[in-house]
């Protein structure tokens, strides 16, 4: 339930920012990407790539002109990450940055390839690709850093020290 | 197959379905869904291949049918050609028979007016039998002599309608009284299964040489005298009182096409012309 709310919030925030590829630099960021690279890095259950389909369908319904390309792109990113993550032992925020960049690049390329035969693909520029990859990886790195900080336990420790 | 491969295969299949779903939603410039264009693009080669194969099969069927018609026509033409060749052979035979008849009549000028020409329609040399067919409806008596361009062929043993059965001189039971043209040697020529004539009752003292000609003597009452019968082919002495003499028939029994049936035997025939 908490994850569903978080995903919904991320999609609403993405909707507020705008569809990737539209005007504005922040629109290139892929906010829901943390829900694709998060589960494998946090050693969650292995069925999480299936949930990427649900994420993609929601993405398509809210942000894409047709249903399909977004679902394919999100599930492709999830599958790519599922293949790569077991090869790396690092689970630090730096891994979040790297896998976020990898997943973002995979998402953009696959989405472009799926839109291309439909005649809906916009021009894919290096600037857009680089911007999206960097911003999304930084966003993932931020989330990974926050998770690594473990703020709830720190807050509970701080309250415990003050109560003493 | 591992779980990962199964997962990847299912995912890939799902991607394909999702792409088709997206193609069904997007419309092309013509207003049709993009999926419809993809379907046409995928089906077009199959339609083209089907059309091409169908056209090829139709052409092949046409060629086969045409070939069968040509083969049938060719067969019909072959039959017609064979019929024409047969007709030509018949005509050639008729012309040859006419020439032979002319030659035969020229040799027997005295009896040609009373003789009846007949065409050979069947012959069996081993059985010594020949069947001839008359031109007109005249009836031929039994034992009428038959002569060809070379000489005596045999005698009529049966006559029905226009057909006459002739016992050849080579028939084992046929016998002709013969003599040399000067009458010094007389004998009885009987047939043999070897297609030759055996001269019987020729004494050892007879002066008969190989190559001597033999003609009918008329002593048998069937054949008029003077008709060529054969030519001596071998003369041997034996332990018996008579010579063992063999002769070849004068007439070519294997190839003659026309015979003359001497119905009126009162006409003597020492008038056999040697002209050829």
């Amino acid at each position: 339930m908490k994850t569903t709310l978080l995903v919904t919030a991320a999609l609403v925030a993405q909707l507020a920012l705008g569809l990737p590829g539209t005007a504005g630099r922040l629109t290139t960021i892929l906010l829901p990407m943390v829900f694709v690279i998060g589960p494998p890095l946090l050693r969650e259950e292995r069925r999480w790539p299936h949930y990427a389909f649900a994420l993609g369908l929601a993405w398509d319904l809210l942000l894409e002109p047709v249903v399909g390309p977004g679902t394919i792109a999100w599930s492709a990113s999830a599958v790519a990450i599922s293949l790569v993550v077991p090869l790396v032992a690092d689970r630090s925020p730096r891994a979040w940055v790297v896998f976020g960049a990898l997943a973002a690049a995979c998402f953009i390329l696959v989405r472009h390839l799926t839109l291309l035969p439909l005649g809906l693909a916009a021009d894919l520029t290096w600037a857009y690709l680089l911007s999206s990859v960097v911003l999304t990886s930084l966003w993932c790195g931020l989330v990974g850093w926050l998770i690594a900080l473990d703020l709830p336990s720190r807050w509970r420790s701080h309250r415990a020290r003050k109560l003493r | 197959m591992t779980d990962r491969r199964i997962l990847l295969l299912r995912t890939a299949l799902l991607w394909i379905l999702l792409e088709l779903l997206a193609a069904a939603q997007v419309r092309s410039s013509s207003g049709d869904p993009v999926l419809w264009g993809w379907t046409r693009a995928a089906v077009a080669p199959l339609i083209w291949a089907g059309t091409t194969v169908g056209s090829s099969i139709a052409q092949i069927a046409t060629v086969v049918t045409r070939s069968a018609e040509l083969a049938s026509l060719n067969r019909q033409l072959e039959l017609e050609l064979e019929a024409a060749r047969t007709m030509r052979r018949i005509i050639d035979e008729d012309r040859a028979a006419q020439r032979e008849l002319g030659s035969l009549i020229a040799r027997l000028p005295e009896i040609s007016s009373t003789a009846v020409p007949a065409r050979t329609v069947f012959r069996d040399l081993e059985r010594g039998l020949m069947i001839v067919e008359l031109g007109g409806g005249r009836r031929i008596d039994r034992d009428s002599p038959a002569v060809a361009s070379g000489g005596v062929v045999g005698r009529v043993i049966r006559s029905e309608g226009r057909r006459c059965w002739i016992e050849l001189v080579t028939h084992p039971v046929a016998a002709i009284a013969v003599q040399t043209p000067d009458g010094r040697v007389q004998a009885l020529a009987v047939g043999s299964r070897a297609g030759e004539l055996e001269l019987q009752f020729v004494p050892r003292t007879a002066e008969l040489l190989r190559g001597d000609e033999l003609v009918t003597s008329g002593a048998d009452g069937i054949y008029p005298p003077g008709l060529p019968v054969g030519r001596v082919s071998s003369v041997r002495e034996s332990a018996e009182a008579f010579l063992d003499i063999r002769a070849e028939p004068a007439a070519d029994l294997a190839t003659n096409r026309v015979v003359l049936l001497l119905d009126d035997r009162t006409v003597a025939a020492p008038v056999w012309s040697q002209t050829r």
Side-chain angles (χ1 to χ4, degrees), chain B residues 9-30:
Chain B
L9 282 176
R10 286 177 180 173
T11 305
L13 183 61
L14 206 53
W15 289 347
I16 292 172
L17 294 177
L18 285 169
E19 188 67 15
L20 294 177
L21 176 65
Q25 301 168 59
V26 179
R27 296 197 173 273
S28 63
S29 57
S30 62

Side-chain angles (χ1 to χ4, degrees), chain A residues 46 50 53 57 66-69 71-72 75-76 79 82-83 86 114 117-118 120, chain B residues 3-4 7-8 10-11 14-16 18-19 21-27 34 38:
Chain A
R46 298 186 63 183
H50 297 159
F53 279 103
L57 281 174
V66 293
V67 176
T71 311
I72 296 173
S75 60
V79 170
S82 72
L83 294 175
T114 55
L118 301 176
L120 301 175
Chain B
D3 293 342
R4 177 172 290 182
L7 174 67
L8 291 175
R10 286 177 180 173
T11 305
L14 206 53
W15 289 347
I16 292 172
L18 285 169
E19 188 67 15
L21 176 65
Q25 301 168 59
V26 179
R27 296 197 173 273
V34 173
W38 290 3

Side-chain angles (χ1 to χ4, degrees), chain B residues 100 103-104 107-108 146-153 213-215 226-231 248-253 256 258-259 272-276:
Chain B
E100 193 175 312
S103 171
L104 188 55
R107 291 187 181 190
L108 298 168
V147 296
S149 59
V152 174
V153 172
E213 188 178 2
L214 301 170
V215 298
L227 296 176
V229 175
R231 195 174 289 276
E248 292 178 353
D252 189 353
L253 304 178
N256 72 304
V258 177
V259 297
W272 182 271
S273 174
Q274 294 300 320
T275 56
R276 283 185 178 266

Side-chain angles (χ1 to χ4, degrees), chain B residues 57-274:
Chain B
I57 290 173
Q59 287 180 353
I60 291 171
T62 303
V63 169
V64 169
T65 307
R66 187 71 178 154
S67 300
E69 290 176 357
L70 287 176
S72 175
L73 183 60
N74 187 39
R75 179 63 182 159
Q76 186 177 351
L77 289 175
E78 285 179 349
L79 292 175
E80 290 180 1
L81 180 62
E82 189 62 30
R85 285 175 176 164
T86 305
M87 186 62 69
R88 180 181 175 180
R89 280 196 292 270
I90 291 172
I91 292 172
D92 289 344
E93 286 290 318
D94 287 344
R95 292 175 62 189
Q98 286 182 355
R99 285 197 300 271
E100 193 175 312
L101 180 61
S103 171
L104 188 55
I105 291 174
R107 291 187 181 190
L108 298 168
E110 281 77 10
I111 62 172
S112 60
S113 60
T114 58
V116 179
R119 177 88 181 263
T120 305
V121 295
F122 175 78
R123 78 187 85 214
D124 186 348
L125 299 180
E126 290 193 1
R127 291 172 57 195
L129 181 68
M130 179 181 288
I131 300 176
V132 298
E133 198 169 82
L134 307 179
R138 185 173 172 182
R139 179 172 179 77
I140 304 298
D141 293 335
R142 183 185 170 90
D143 288 338
S144 295
V147 296
S149 59
V152 174
V153 172
R155 66 185 177 95
V156 176
I157 58 173
R158 180 181 167 196
S159 176
E160 281 184 12
R162 294 171 56 191
R163 291 201 165 183
C164 292
W165 279 253
I166 297 174
E167 180 188 79
L168 299 178
V169 294
T170 55
H171 192 282
V173 300
I176 305 175
V178 298
Q179 64 180 11
T180 54
D182 55 9
R184 287 184 291 108
V185 179
Q186 297 196 346
L188 186 66
V190 298
S192 71
R193 294 197 178 276
E196 295 177 327
L197 300 173
E198 293 180 8
L199 296 188
Q200 296 180 352
F201 312 117
V202 178
R204 285 171 169 268
T205 58
E207 294 180 359
L208 201 59
L209 299 174
R210 181 181 177 185
D212 284 350
E213 188 178 2
L214 301 170
V215 298
T216 53
S217 65
D220 50 24
I222 295 176
Y223 298 93
L227 296 176
V229 175
R231 195 174 289 276
V232 175
S233 59
S234 67
V235 179
R236 292 180 184 172
E237 290 188 1
S238 65
E240 298 179 0
F242 304 103
L243 290 173
D244 180 10
I245 300 175
R246 296 182 183 276
E248 292 178 353
D252 189 353
L253 304 178
T255 60
N256 72 304
R257 302 177 180 83
V258 177
V259 297
L260 279 180
L261 303 176
L262 308 180
D263 197 26
D264 185 3
R265 277 166 279 169
T266 58
V267 179
V271 289
W272 182 271
S273 174
Q274 294 300 320

Side-chain angles (χ1 to χ4, degrees), chain B residues 30-51:
Chain B
S30 62
D32 296 329
V34 173
L35 181 61
W36 178 238
W38 290 3
T39 306
R40 279 185 301 189
V43 171
L46 299 177
I47 293 175
W48 177 82
T51 306

